[in-house]
Amino acid sequence: MRAVHKRYLREFFPAMLAYVVLIVLSGLLLPKLASLPWRVGLALLPLLPIVLAIRAMVRVVRDQDELERRIDLESFAIAAMATGFGFFSFGLLLLADVGWQVRGGTVAIWVMPCLFATFGLAKLVVARRYRRHA
């Protein structure tokens, strides 16, 4: 494993661990708080580690070689389009009142995890395609 990828893992996984801790803490404490400023602060607190994770992703893409960067950028494009298409389709079904009762906040909070998961799957497919052509 190259140094750029080791640095990525050192930066990404602690950020994700902090995100999980803060999102659980936020979910547990938000119903107990009455003060609006505290509720806003606590609701937005999980964004801090997400910013660090995004920073780690941008740094690894910037510092990789050309082929790795190409694979990651194609994977980001596929993930962004697939996630956007999926949530848009889901929104159209909700507007059609197909019988699902889902709160908007519940849908919105799943966008980033779906984007990250889709990126991981897209990267496997794109990297495999490049390996076959090498």
Side-chain angles (χ1 to χ4, degrees), residues 15 52 75 81 94 101 105 114 116 120:
L52 295 175
S75 302
M81 290 296 107
L94 290 176
Q101 299 296 322
C114 286
F116 287 167

Side-chain angles (χ1 to χ4, degrees), residues 2 9 11 43 67 73 79 127:
R2 294 184 27 221
L9 293 177
E11 293 174 353
L67 177 60
L73 292 179

Side-chain angles (χ1 to χ4, degrees), residues 66-109:
E66 287 182 28
L67 177 60
E68 292 169 328
R69 188 178 309 134
R70 184 177 180 144
I71 290 170
D72 275 355
L73 292 179
E74 282 185 33
S75 302
F76 278 128
I78 291 169
M81 290 296 107
T83 303
F85 183 78
F87 275 90
F88 185 69
S89 302
F90 189 63
L92 289 175
L93 289 173
L94 290 176
L95 285 177
D97 198 20
V98 294
W100 299 335
Q101 299 296 322
V102 182
R103 293 177 36 201
T106 303
V107 173
I109 205 164

Side-chain angles (χ1 to χ4, degrees), residues 4-119:
V4 64
H5 297 114
K6 288 179 183 174
R7 183 191 71 209
Y8 171 73
L9 293 177
R10 277 194 318 267
E11 293 174 353
F12 183 79
F13 282 115
M16 285 294 93
L17 179 64
Y19 168 75
V20 169
V21 169
L22 289 176
I23 200 77
V24 169
L25 191 66
S26 174
L28 292 174
L29 295 179
L30 272 175
K32 299 175 182 173
L33 290 176
S35 167
L36 182 61
W38 280 104
R39 290 178 59 79
V40 169
L42 188 60
L44 296 178
L45 194 58
L47 293 179
L48 293 175
I50 292 297
V51 169
L52 295 175
I54 292 170
R55 178 179 173 259
M57 294 172 83
V58 169
R59 285 171 48 122
V60 77
V61 168
R62 186 189 61 207
D63 296 340
Q64 293 178 119
D65 66 32
E66 287 182 28
L67 177 60
E68 292 169 328
R69 188 178 309 134
R70 184 177 180 144
I71 290 170
D72 275 355
L73 292 179
E74 282 185 33
S75 302
F76 278 128
I78 291 169
M81 290 296 107
T83 303
F85 183 78
F87 275 90
F88 185 69
S89 302
F90 189 63
L92 289 175
L93 289 173
L94 290 176
L95 285 177
D97 198 20
V98 294
W100 299 335
Q101 299 296 322
V102 182
R103 293 177 36 201
T106 303
V107 173
I109 205 164
W110 280 98
V111 172
M112 285 296 273
C114 286
L115 180 62
F116 287 167
T118 308
F119 168 73

